[in-house]
Amino acid sequence: NAQTTVDRMAKMKPHIVLFLLDCCRSYWIPSLSRDGDQQVGGLKQMKAPQQTLIAFACGAGDTVPDQFQGSNNGLLAKHLITDITSPDVHIETILVRVAKDVASETNNSQLSFRVSCLLSEEIYLVKKSKYLCRPKCIHLMIACDLIIK
């Protein structure tokens, strides 16, 4: 599950872990009883280990489309792609901008959500056209299909 993946990444002690989930769909959980399968909406709430930032396309338990108007991406990824390479901008500021853009585009019907336990004050992915740290020091995952179909 996603929480286990984040925990495993954090145990590797990178500078930071960024875990970005651009999916929040309904899925089915097989039932062990005779009542039939159970439909569950959205993702469960997650905890951010130390030096971890988790961003979701929407809040826990909510659902949004995985793709937006002919794109292979959802709205979170659409706006993230535009903003994530902004030089000299803190990652949390980038995610606030993305959240505002998603909310604006959906008339506030989709509100992205973040969980953070970052202890570093200055986390820039791009600094004056140069990466601030070696790519190995940041684990970045954009997940779309966590549930096996």
Side-chain angles (χ1 to χ4, degrees):
N1 76 27
Q3 185 67 59
T4 301
T5 302
V6 167
D7 292 342
R8 285 183 185 161
M9 291 168 67
K11 284 181 184 176
M12 294 167 54
K13 303 284 186 206
H15 181 66
I16 62 169
V17 174
L18 297 177
F19 196 77
L20 310 171
L21 295 116
D22 188 29
C23 60
C24 293
R25 71 170 76 99
S26 295
Y27 55 93
W28 293 91
I29 296 178
S31 175
L32 298 176
S33 69
R34 296 177 189 226
D35 297 337
D37 295 342
Q38 175 184 6
Q39 183 176 8
V40 178
L43 298 169
K44 289 186 176 184
Q45 185 172 352
M46 293 177 64
K47 294 181 183 179
Q50 186 174 337
Q51 285 301 92
T52 299
L53 173 61
I54 304 169
F56 303 88
C58 60
D62 292 338
T63 59
V64 296
D66 287 337
Q67 298 177 340
F68 182 74
Q69 294 181 351
S71 170
N72 289 328
N73 300 314
L75 283 178
L76 181 76
K78 173 188 172 186
H79 292 287
L80 188 62
I81 288 166
T82 303
D83 292 329
I84 201 161
T85 58
S86 300
D88 298 325
V89 181
H90 191 282
I91 185 60
E92 297 225 47
T93 303
I94 289 171
L95 291 174
V96 167
R97 289 177 183 172
V98 168
K100 285 180 181 178
D101 291 343
V102 169
S104 175
E105 189 165 337
T106 63
N107 294 320
N108 294 321
S109 65
Q110 180 177 338
L111 301 174
S112 60
F113 184 76
R114 294 175 308 284
V115 179
S116 177
C117 189
L118 294 180
L119 303 177
S120 301
E121 290 183 18
E122 295 185 24
I123 299 175
Y124 306 102
L125 298 183
V126 179
K127 186 148 178 78
K128 296 191 190 229
S129 300
K130 293 169 68 177
Y131 287 98
L132 183 62
C133 61
R134 294 182 314 265
K136 284 198 268 184
C137 73
I138 297 177
H139 289 264
L140 175 63
M141 174 180 260
I142 300 178
C144 288
D145 283 310
L146 297 177
I147 307 303
I148 298 173
K149 294 179 183 178

